[in-house]
Structure formats: C-alpha cells, structure tokens
Amino acid sequence: MNPSAPVVALAGGVGGAKLAVGLAEALPPGALTVIVNTADDLTLHGLHISPDLDTVMYNLAGLSDPAQGWGIKGDTTGALDLLGRYGGPTWFRLGDKDMATHIRRTQRLSEGARLTEATAELCGALGVRSRVLPMTDSPVATRVQTPEGELEFQDYFVARGTRPRVTGVRFQGAETAKATPEAAEAIDSAGTIVYCPSNPIVSLGPILAIGEIEERLRRPEIPRIGVSPIIGGSALRGPAADMMKSLGHEVSALGVAEILRDYIDGFVFDDEDAPLLPAFGERGIAARTAPSVMTDTPSKKRLAIEVLGFAEEIRNQAPAG
Amino acid sequence: MNPSAPVVALAGGVGGAKLAVGLAEALPPGALTVIVNTADDLTLHGLHISPDLDTVMYNLAGLSDPAQGWGIKGDTTGALDLLGRYGGPTWFRLGDKDMATHIRRTQRLSEGARLTEATAELCGALGVRSRVLPMTDSPVATRVQTPEGELEFQDYFVARGTRPRVTGVRFQGAETAKATPEAAEAIDSAGTIVYCPSNPIVSLGPILAIGEIEERLRRPEIPRIGVSPIIGGSALRGPAADMMKSLGHEVSALGVAEILRDYIDGFVFDDEDAPLLPAFGERGIAARTAPSVMTDTPSKKRLAIEVLGFAEEIRNQAPAG
C-alpha cells in the first residue's frame, strides 16, 4: 500500500476497532488515522469516559479484552466494587486499569488539554502507532428516543441492555460542534476513506452529523469504502439490526449501504450475503463480498486488505484527472 | 464508660488510627469522634487524597492493611500501574480500592460537598460507627523546611522517605482556616479529649495551628490526655523522633508531653519509659505508664481503657464545681 496516500477510517466501538487493527496491520506504520465517535462519551464518578476512543485505543495497543472486545484483558474491578459501596453506579463496568485511562483523561482535560491532545498522549504512552482522533473536541451526546422517553445513550445501551425500541435518535450538540484541526487535516489529506463496520446510526451517524466533518468527507475524487456490520440480517454484536429496523431501514448490508450512500464509492459485505450483489448492481453501488467476521488478527488484516484492494480498484477505474 | 460524656480524639495517621480503633472498641457506639489532620492532603492524578482521614477510616472500618497500617488489605494496583505508564507519579502508592475513595471524594467535593460531608458519607458507607471529622474544611498544607529547601509534606514524607533533616515546619493556610460546625460542636460537648500517639509536630501540630480549634481545645474543666508516640527514644514508625530532635525537642515521652503541655492534664507513655516518671512529677505533669505498643485489637483496646481510666481518675480528683 502507498504510504503517501494515508487512510482515514471512521469508527465506533468494537466492530470498528477490529477493522482498525486490521488496517493498522495492513498499512505502513503511521499511514492510518482513525476518527472515532465520541457521542457515547459520559461522565461517571466525576470521570470523563470515552468508550469508543478507549476501545479503539486498547485494540490498537493490543491490550483489549479479546472476549468482550472492550476493556483491558485481565483487568480487576476493585475500584468499581468500592465505588458501588460508596453509592456510585456500577452498571457501567470499569476495570481498574481502565479506570487509570479515565482518571488521566479527566486530569488532562481539567488542566486544559483538548480531548484530541489527551487521546494522543494516552495512545502514545500505550505504543499505538496509528493516529486516533476523537471526531470532535466539542461535546456531542447521542440521545435515543424510545417509548420510555428520551434516554442518554449509555442508559439505553448498557443500563437497559438496548431493550427499549428506538423510535428516533438525535445528536445533541452536533449542530454546533467543530471539526478539530487534526481531523480536518486528516480527512483533507486522506487518499482513502473507510467506514468501519460500526453501527451506521449511532456510531457513524454522530460523525456525519457534524457539519464541518460531513462536508469534508464529501471527497468523490478518492475512493471511499463502507463495510457492513450486518451479516445475514443481524449484527454480530450491538443493537444495529433492531435499531435499523425500528427506524425503517432494511436490515441488511444493502440497508447499511443506503444509509451511507452519499459518502461511499464502494461497499464490502460478507460472503454469506452474496445473493445481495445484484441488488447492489441495480442501485448502482459498487460492491464486493469478503469473509467479514473478524475473530483474530489475521482475519482482521485479511478484511482490511480486501477493503484497501477494493479501494485501489476503484481509484484505478476513475477517469484520469 | 459514660455515653453521656463523648470522647474527642485528635489523630494523624497510623498511630492515631490504632488508638482510635481501641477507643471505638472501649466506648459505647457513637461516643467517639476522631478529629483528623488534613494538612497532609494532596492532589495527585487530579484526585483529592486525604491520607490521614483514610487511614483512620480504613482502620475503624476494619479494612486496613495490617502490615503497613495504611491502605486497604489485599488491594491491587492496576490503576496506579497504568497511571505510571501514562506519565503520572507512582511514588505515592494508591491501591485500586483505595482509588475508589479518592475518586468518590473528588467527585463529591466537585459537586460542592464539604470535606466533612464527603468523609461522613464514605465512613457511613463503610459502616464506621464513630464520627470521623477532618480538622477543617479549609485547605491547610504542611510545608517542611529542609536544607534542600521547603518541601511539600508528602514530598518529604513519601517521595524522599523522610531523609531530609527538618529545620522547620509551617502550616500554610492554618492562620485563616475555620473550624467546621461539626468539629466545634464535638470539642465543645466533649467529656474527654485524647491526643493520640501521633507525630506531635506534623500530625497534631496542624490541628493545634488552627486558631478556632486551638481555642476550643483549651477546656481545663474536662480531662485531656496525651499518649506518647515515642518509646525508648524512638518512634514506632515515621519521622517523629528525627523531627523532634532536629527541631530542638527532647526525643522522649517527656519531650512530647512538653509540646502538648498547654493542652493536656495527663500523659500516658510506655512502661519501658517508667524511669521518666519522676521527671514528669518534677515538671508537674500527671503521668502514667502502660503497655503502649498496639499490635492487634486487644492491645489497642487495652491502651484505650488505660487512657480513659486515667481520664476518669483526673476527672474525679478535680475540685467539685
């Protein structure tokens, strides 16, 4: 792959982090920038928690708990146990090592660092060689409308286990959120853009809801590839399928591609869904299937190579000039 | 002991906490209030840490690490290890459970709670039945003058292992610090006051440096008993002996009693130092010896009973009216 053509990947949590690992493996060191959803961020115990940033960071650092995909492998919960005894909430599981990340981030933010800067410091300390950027340093918060009322995202996602039916989603603060210089520069200089297999509504949606980011992502002169988090009509994890259905989207790779349609030149989905290929053709979306279940580093890298190869094909097909 | 005559104990860290445990064992539930030095408090990792309050609290809750006297038994250090990797200081050892205390305290203070209130909440959650009060809610910081310059207390005490020679001590903020309503009320209604075997200079010294506390402690109508942290010319732990020596005090139970002289009616020290009894007599300080090494709960309770019994003797000797 060409190190002079950097890759920007947009990601949410676990699924996005897996492909980010694959891309980092497939690309030369430093060629990957991951722009990560922060609309799931929350404050608990007085600490600033950025679940998706941390999941991407821990995965890229090789520290992630392989079973659950988030958190740090082998972590203990002494602090959370005692915080619970003190009356603090324990529904959001925070390990002790993980707590250090939130403590340090909170400290640096209180000292005036931007989230982008704090994230760069944390990633640097953990030896992450790809660049991890929050989608914005501005506060943006996903609110989920349900029959039980409007919920904070983590209340819906973790505390209520994604059980409430989602009737709408909004991204509070997105309308005034700013692109950071770092994210703007990364997108402007990208040679390829990858939409990771993250929830298109609540992981990629918030990134696209920021006007200054969304405008920059409209770069038809470079290949932009989406990857489906939906396989065989369901999501490997998380509420993407139920959420797409209740919001009126087709629960399939095609449904995801339709949501991202204005931003992509090609779409990759699982071999299992190969029967959808003609429908992609009818709707004029360049598509390709591949094994997309990422269970280990080789399978993450293999999918990344498929995605990057598809991008190169699209780049080479484009009319010169 | 008479529950209508509450006991106020003044304490620093480990030594004071041990006698506090003994007093709590010897007295009826709720009869003990411990007023604790906070001039050692520090901010690390953006968290408010109150080492002496925590040592007293953990000891009274039965959670304390019996080997080191501070911290929580069986605690892990996952958070501190990663904080170190993030570039944070690790010389002040913070366990994971212990971290929860600092996180919760910091959160409550940032929400506007007073340190007194936050401490009461923490103690309540841990089932502590005695009342634990910070000496003040105002910021007071012990500064230690040494040939290397003026040091923050924990820099001197932990980071430099009490090695620098102490040429002076000051309590920054003490001159303007306020007595809390809780501490004022506790002292005003005390039937007995006990000066725990804590460092008289940097543990009891800061409490006495607060004018509004010091004035209230001058209550000659009730028995006030001091207990020596110096046995046979040295301190069981900590820098009390070296510090007393370099500041020109006699390094003995008598030296401690002289420092506290204006505030005590009687003084208890170790049987080993019984040869000092005549000197106490010459100086007009009522004194008594007892086994004062506290290694377990029975020995803590035994010393507490000696102290309280001595107080009753003094009370009964006082002229009526």
Side-chain angles (χ1 to χ4, degrees):
Chain A
M1 306 292 159
N2 180 3
S4 66
V7 173
V8 164
L10 309 183
V14 178
K18 285 182 175 184
L19 185 56
V21 168
L23 291 165
E25 290 283 324
L27 289 163
L32 175 65
T33 297
V34 190
I35 296 177
V36 182
N37 171 41
T38 57
D40 302 357
D41 286 16
L42 70 165
T43 300
L44 280 179
H45 317 290
L47 302 174
H48 182 109
I49 301 171
S50 295
D52 286 357
L53 278 174
D54 290 343
T55 296
V56 169
M57 177 173 77
Y58 295 152
N59 274 274
L60 287 172
L63 292 176
S64 191
D65 184 308
Q68 57 191 18
W70 50 269
I72 294 180
K73 58 189 167 198
D75 212 353
T76 49
T77 59
L80 189 68
D81 294 345
L82 192 50
L83 281 167
R85 194 159 163 191
Y86 287 145
T90 57
W91 54 267
F92 197 89
R93 302 303 298 171
L94 296 168
D96 291 323
K97 289 180 186 166
D98 190 28
M99 201 72 81
T101 302
H102 315 311
I103 292 171
R104 183 74 178 182
R105 176 190 293 117
T106 302
Q107 180 185 9
R108 294 294 294 120
L109 294 176
S110 78
E111 290 169 355
R114 296 181 297 125
L115 183 59
T116 297
E117 294 164 335
T119 303
E121 292 169 7
L122 296 171
C123 284
L126 296 183
V128 173
R129 294 167 74 182
S130 303
R131 196 150 60 139
V132 179
L133 299 176
M135 65 182 194
T136 178
D137 290 329
S138 311
V140 176
T142 298
R143 299 292 182 141
V144 181
Q145 279 112 34
T146 76
E148 301 169 35
E150 187 172 276
L151 304 176
E152 293 184 8
F153 180 75
Q154 299 294 355
D155 183 11
Y156 156 76
F157 188 65
V158 180
R160 299 177 196 238
T162 75
R163 284 180 296 272
R165 188 167 55 84
V166 176
T167 58
V169 167
R170 70 186 180 94
F171 308 113
Q172 192 171 40
E175 59 288 349
T176 56
K178 298 286 180 193
T180 63
E182 292 86 350
E185 190 278 332
I187 298 171
D188 291 350
S189 63
T192 306
I193 294 174
V194 176
Y195 288 80
C196 287
S198 297
N199 187 316
I201 295 164
V202 293
S203 293
L204 303 179
I207 305 176
L208 292 168
I210 299 172
E212 291 188 2
I213 297 282
E214 193 268 353
E215 287 164 23
R216 283 190 150 80
L217 288 168
R218 294 179 175 273
R219 295 194 54 202
E221 77 281 11
I222 60 165
R224 301 159 303 171
I225 312 293
V227 181
S228 180
I230 302 287
I231 300 177
S234 62
L236 283 179
R237 51 177 297 132
D242 287 348
M243 197 179 276
M244 288 177 71
K245 185 177 179 188
S246 66
L247 292 176
H249 300 282
E250 184 183 323
V251 184
S252 71
L254 194 59
V256 177
E258 290 285 5
I259 293 174
L260 298 176
R261 179 155 204 168
D262 290 349
Y263 306 99
I264 57 172
D265 306 295
F267 197 74
V268 175
F269 54 98
D270 198 76
D271 285 337
E272 175 185 329
D273 291 321
L276 290 173
L277 277 169
F280 273 88
E282 284 162 22
R283 303 199 201 182
I285 304 173
R288 151 148 330 179
T289 69
S292 74
V293 180
M294 294 176 281
T295 55
D296 54 14
T297 302
S299 56
K300 293 169 191 169
K301 183 174 180 181
R302 196 160 54 232
L303 180 58
I305 289 171
E306 288 283 347
V307 168
L308 295 169
F310 189 27
E312 290 316 301
E313 281 182 36
I314 290 174
R315 190 191 316 277
N316 295 332
Q317 286 163 9
Chain B
M1 308 294 158
N2 180 4
S4 67
V7 173
V8 164
L10 309 182
V14 177
K18 286 182 173 184
L19 186 57
V21 169
L23 291 166
E25 290 284 324
L27 290 164
L32 175 65
T33 297
V34 191
I35 297 177
V36 182
N37 171 41
T38 56
D40 302 357
D41 286 17
L42 70 165
T43 299
L44 282 177
H45 317 290
L47 301 175
H48 182 109
I49 301 171
S50 295
D52 285 357
L53 278 175
D54 291 344
T55 296
V56 170
M57 177 173 76
Y58 295 153
N59 273 275
L60 287 172
L63 293 176
S64 190
D65 184 309
Q68 58 191 17
W70 51 270
I72 294 179
K73 61 189 167 198
D75 212 354
T76 50
T77 59
L80 189 69
D81 293 346
L82 192 50
L83 281 167
R85 196 160 162 189
Y86 288 145
T90 57
W91 55 266
F92 198 88
R93 303 303 297 170
L94 297 168
D96 291 324
K97 288 179 186 166
D98 190 30
M99 202 72 84
T101 302
H102 315 311
I103 292 170
R104 183 73 179 183
R105 176 190 294 115
T106 303
Q107 179 186 9
R108 294 294 294 122
L109 294 176
S110 77
E111 290 169 357
R114 295 181 297 124
L115 183 59
T116 296
E117 294 164 334
T119 303
E121 293 169 7
L122 295 170
C123 284
L126 296 183
V128 173
R129 294 166 75 183
S130 303
R131 197 150 59 137
V132 179
L133 300 176
M135 65 183 195
T136 178
D137 290 328
S138 311
V140 177
T142 297
R143 299 293 184 141
V144 181
Q145 277 113 35
T146 77
E148 302 170 34
E150 187 173 275
L151 305 175
E152 292 184 7
F153 180 76
Q154 299 294 353
D155 183 11
Y156 156 76
F157 188 65
V158 181
R160 301 180 194 233
T162 75
R163 284 180 296 273
R165 187 167 55 84
V166 176
T167 58
V169 166
R170 69 186 181 95
F171 308 114
Q172 192 172 40
E175 59 288 348
T176 55
K178 297 286 180 193
T180 63
E182 292 86 350
E185 191 278 332
I187 298 171
D188 291 349
S189 63
T192 306
I193 294 174
V194 176
Y195 289 79
C196 287
S198 297
N199 187 316
I201 294 163
V202 292
S203 293
L204 302 179
I207 305 176
L208 292 168
I210 299 171
E212 291 189 1
I213 297 282
E214 192 268 352
E215 287 164 23
R216 284 191 150 79
L217 287 169
R218 294 178 176 274
R219 294 194 56 202
E221 77 281 12
I222 60 164
R224 301 159 303 170
I225 312 292
V227 182
S228 179
I230 302 288
I231 300 179
S234 62
L236 283 178
R237 49 177 299 131
D242 287 348
M243 198 179 276
M244 288 176 69
K245 184 177 180 187
S246 65
L247 292 176
H249 299 281
E250 183 183 324
V251 184
S252 71
L254 194 59
V256 177
E258 290 285 4
I259 292 173
L260 298 177
R261 178 157 203 164
D262 290 348
Y263 306 98
I264 56 172
D265 306 295
F267 197 74
V268 175
F269 54 98
D270 198 75
D271 285 336
E272 175 183 331
D273 291 322
L276 290 173
L277 277 170
F280 272 88
E282 284 162 24
R283 303 199 202 182
I285 303 173
R288 150 149 331 180
T289 69
S292 75
V293 181
M294 295 175 280
T295 54
D296 53 14
T297 302
S299 57
K300 293 169 192 169
K301 184 175 179 181
R302 196 161 51 232
L303 180 58
I305 288 172
E306 288 283 348
V307 168
L308 295 170
F310 190 28
E312 291 315 302
E313 280 181 37
I314 290 174
R315 192 192 313 278
N316 295 332
Q317 286 163 9

